[in-house]
Amino acid sequence: VQLQASGGGSVQPGESLTLSCAASGFTLNRPAIGWFRQAPGKEREAVACLSTNNDITYYPDFAKDRFTVSRGKAKNTIDLRIDNLTPEDTAVYYCGTDLGQASSYALCHRRPTTWGQGTLVTVSS
């Protein structure tokens, strides 16, 4: 079971960015997949989770307006689109899963057991 996040980079405020999480060793038809981020000096926080058995999504309140999690165009991928980026979005973004957890809400609150490596997003002018 492996996850690999990609798509990070340096962007200017107001721009959009799409991150991709590629899953291998399992299929995206049951477990929830989540996106989390960790800013410098802060704890890791959930930004979006998706249940792959029914495509139900969960977002914490701060992420409901600008973050969108969805199945990627590539097979076995889950994307995170971030719109209207601000410097406060600067963080390392991780994707994670728990093969025994199908609920997007639960994954975002109880945290994954399997993590991919992070991808850095830097927002500055």
Side-chain angles (χ1 to χ4, degrees):
V1 175
Q2 284 190 328
L3 298 170
Q4 185 168 354
S6 63
S10 295
V11 297
Q12 294 189 342
E15 293 185 340
S16 297
L17 194 64
T18 297
L19 309 179
S20 184
C21 177
S24 59
F26 67 105
T27 55
L28 298 180
N29 58 6
R30 184 182 183 278
I33 302 292
W35 281 97
F36 300 76
R37 69 182 183 182
Q38 188 163 18
K42 295 188 177 181
E43 292 187 354
R44 193 172 299 189
E45 62 179 353
V47 297
C49 293
L50 179 145
S51 301
T52 63
N53 63 343
N54 56 21
D55 287 356
I56 290 178
T57 57
Y58 172 80
Y59 302 91
D61 286 345
F62 79 88
K64 288 181 178 178
D65 292 334
R66 300 187 297 112
F67 293 77
T68 304
V69 61
S70 63
R71 292 184 182 269
K73 292 182 179 179
K75 184 178 180 181
N76 243 33
T77 61
I78 300 294
D79 289 351
L80 177 72
R81 177 180 172 89
I82 314 170
D83 293 315
N84 193 22
L85 281 151
T86 72
E88 289 69 35
D89 294 319
T90 295
V92 178
Y93 285 74
Y94 301 88
C95 55
T97 190
D98 178 343
L99 295 185
Q101 182 54 259
S103 165
S104 55
Y105 175 90
L107 183 69
C108 267
H109 284 82
R110 297 175 190 169
R111 301 305 171 92
T113 56
T114 298
W115 293 96
Q117 93 292 352
T119 185
L120 176 63
V121 174
T122 303
V123 185
S124 68
S125 54

